Amino acid sequence: MTSLPQPPTEPTEPTGHHDHEHASHGHAVVPAQGHSHSHSHGPAAPVSKHLRKVIAAVLIPFAVAVFIGMVVLWPGGAPAHERTGVGFDRQTQQGQVVALESVDCKSVNASQVPSTGDLSTPQGREAKAAQTGDCKKATVVVGSGPDKGRAFFEIVQPGAPRQLKQGQEVVVAHAPDAPRDLQYSVIDVNRKLPMALLAGIFAVAVVVVGRLRGLFALVALVISFAILTLFILPAILQGSNPLVVAIVGASAIMLIALYMCHGLTARTSVAVLGTLVSLLLIGLLGSVFIDWAFLSGNTDDNTGLIHGLYPDIDMSGLLLAGVIIGSLGVLDDVTVTQTSAVWELHQADPKMGPRALYRAAIRIGRDHIASVVNTLVLAYAGAALPLLLLFSIANSSMGSVANSELVAEEIVRTLVGSIGLVASVPVTTALAALVVSADRPGAPAAAAATGPVRGGRGRRRKR
């Protein structure tokens, strides 16, 4: 009985063993793998109906709660206010530099030497150089608004950080209450064309490399910005609690982005749960340490202007909302990657239990933690580089620098976000290991998976 099957099967032992291994645990899911590959992070076996019901029982109430929260907190637009003409709160129009000529700075009185005549100070030296150097007189024509076509002059000093060129598109500020000759001034250059071109290159690159999934990612990005600008920001300005608004808005972004980019699968649902747990941890830690460190959230001109226009806004809560929203993007990447790692390990060896899966996947997670935390810290350090240079110029000690509220905010923001990222790895890995190990495909499916393979081997023996 054994001599008949042995000769034909020996030459094909590696292939036969491989087929048997997949037939025992994965052959029935091959069509599903091909289907889910276009929507999820990678090929994944479907889970049982019972497990899908358990996951749905957790996530559907959560999604309903997020929807209700958005309906209740929906602001209906930002509240109106009287423009102050300070900072970003100015009326602006488009303009263009139509002519540019060199003039003597002294003749246009562009700058004055300080009354003390002290040239030992940087201000005095700059004023002296500006008075004796060559300035540029730009003729600017307003290109939009009620005064379209109106021309005014702008004097550009030789040491000004922003120099104008003929034909350049600019942004002009309008002060209706000022004298006619001083109502318009150039405040910035128009960067719409290079910014739009860069965005177009980014979109093309994402679609070319990511194909359909890249297109879904772009759609999710647009929806995320829509939620941010139409819900989160106006709701905070209307006086809603910034922490509650941030949690509801971040949860909506998370649900839409993850399911749109990775598909309505159990694996994506586990990533959603891991992200949610990590966001709650970040919110809790942020709330505790922002209060404990007495961080007001009002540390620069922009936050001061916001507080002046809307004094009812909780600025420390706004700081906490920024921490939560800022951590969400990196959290998505970590949780999806960890969930995919657990699923792939289970497919490679279905005999692995939850503990073995967790130990194997957490080793991958440790490498991810090291790179993500380093990236997050360097990102914040890069954003605060001019501030750090100022402290370096002042020869301030590291302790005094860290103790200042401006730097302490960034430290708390970085560390709280990093703790949430670190915690998301074991949390998501444990959830994924439990879910994928608890899945038990039904007997009929297993029989259907193994039947065709055995029949194929029988035909080989007859040959």
Side-chain angles (χ1 to χ4, degrees):
M1 294 176 62
T2 57
S3 60
L4 290 175
Q6 285 298 329
T9 54
E10 277 183 353
T12 59
E13 181 63 27
T15 305
H17 176 72
H18 186 268
D19 290 341
H20 173 71
E21 187 176 276
H22 283 275
S24 63
H25 63 82
H27 188 274
V29 300
V30 171
Q33 288 179 359
H35 175 73
S36 63
H37 180 72
S38 62
H39 299 287
S40 62
H41 192 75
V47 296
S48 62
K49 184 180 294 186
H50 173 71
L51 195 54
R52 288 199 299 268
K53 289 181 178 179
V54 172
I55 295 174
V58 175
L59 288 177
I60 290 178
F62 168 65
V64 171
V66 171
F67 177 76
I68 294 175
M70 291 189 68
V71 171
V72 172
L73 296 173
W74 191 260
H81 70 279
E82 213 176 301
R83 290 191 177 273
T84 61
V86 179
F88 289 102
D89 192 39
R90 288 181 283 189
Q91 297 181 26
T92 59
Q93 303 293 344
Q94 301 301 314
Q96 184 179 29
V97 179
V98 295
L100 199 65
E101 59 178 317
S102 297
V103 295
D104 184 21
C105 289
K106 190 174 183 179
S107 65
V108 295
N109 198 24
S111 178
Q112 294 288 343
V113 179
S115 57
T116 58
D118 185 7
L119 299 181
S120 62
T121 62
Q123 294 83 358
R125 290 192 295 270
E126 290 176 5
K128 181 65 177 178
Q131 190 185 43
T132 58
D134 290 331
C135 293
K136 291 183 179 180
K137 183 179 180 181
T139 304
V140 183
V141 175
V142 180
S144 62
D147 294 330
K148 182 178 180 179
R150 176 177 167 182
F152 67 95
F153 299 107
E154 182 83 11
I155 302 299
V156 183
Q157 298 181 12
R162 181 178 60 248
Q163 297 293 320
L164 300 179
K165 299 179 181 179
Q166 187 169 349
Q168 189 174 33
E169 300 287 338
V170 294
V171 179
V172 298
H174 182 211
D177 297 334
R180 180 174 175 80
D181 293 341
L182 302 176
Q183 286 183 345
Y184 284 96
S185 61
V186 177
I187 59 171
D188 209 341
V189 299
N190 192 331
R191 303 180 180 89
K192 290 183 179 180
L193 179 59
M195 299 292 284
L197 180 61
L198 182 59
I201 295 173
F202 165 74
V204 171
V206 170
V207 173
V208 168
V209 177
R211 298 186 180 180
L212 185 59
R213 194 180 304 173
L215 180 61
F216 285 149
L218 290 177
V219 174
L221 181 63
V222 172
I223 294 175
S224 298
F225 272 107
I227 293 175
L228 181 65
T229 56
L230 299 179
F231 171 68
I232 296 178
L233 300 181
I236 292 175
L237 291 178
Q238 291 283 10
S240 299
N241 188 301
L243 176 58
V244 176
V245 172
I247 291 176
V248 173
S251 298
I253 292 174
M254 173 186 64
L255 289 171
I256 294 173
L258 285 180
Y259 282 118
M260 180 172 289
C261 294
H262 304 287
L264 288 167
T265 63
R267 184 164 63 180
T268 307
S269 299
V270 172
V272 168
L273 290 175
T275 306
L276 175 62
V277 173
S278 302
L279 282 178
L280 293 176
L281 177 61
I282 289 173
L284 177 62
L285 286 176
S287 179
V288 170
F289 282 95
I290 286 175
D291 289 342
W292 194 3
F294 296 100
L295 298 178
S296 65
N298 189 1
T299 55
D300 56 23
D301 294 339
N302 293 328
T303 54
L305 178 60
I306 293 172
H307 185 65
L309 294 174
Y310 302 96
D312 294 333
I313 292 180
D314 180 8
M315 298 304 294
S316 60
L318 186 62
L319 172 63
L320 180 57
V323 174
I324 293 174
I325 296 173
S327 303
L328 178 61
V330 188
L331 272 176
D332 288 352
D333 175 60
V334 173
T335 54
V336 169
T337 301
Q338 282 305 113
T339 307
S340 297
V342 173
W343 244 261
E344 296 298 332
L345 287 169
H346 176 71
Q347 284 185 306
D349 186 2
K351 297 179 181 179
M352 293 177 68
R355 291 186 180 180
L357 279 173
Y358 178 83
R359 286 195 298 266
I362 202 67
R363 287 194 291 268
I364 302 173
R366 291 191 185 104
D367 292 335
H368 206 183
I369 287 173
S371 61
V372 167
V373 170
N374 193 44
T375 300
L376 193 63
V377 172
L378 290 179
Y380 282 124
L385 196 58
L387 178 64
L388 298 177
L389 283 175
L390 288 177
F391 282 110
S392 179
I393 293 172
N395 293 324
S396 301
S397 65
M398 188 62 66
S400 61
V401 170
N403 189 66
S404 64
E405 184 173 1
L406 199 57
V407 177
E409 278 189 5
E410 298 302 325
I411 292 175
V412 171
R413 193 196 311 269
T414 303
L415 296 182
V416 168
S418 298
I419 291 172
L421 291 175
V422 171
S424 70
V425 173
V427 169
T428 307
T429 304
L431 285 173
L434 290 173
V435 169
V436 78
S437 299
D439 186 35
R440 294 292 183 268
T450 56
V453 177
R454 291 178 181 176
R457 288 189 176 182
R459 286 191 294 271
R460 288 177 189 166
R461 295 190 190 106
K462 290 178 183 179
R463 290 178 185 175

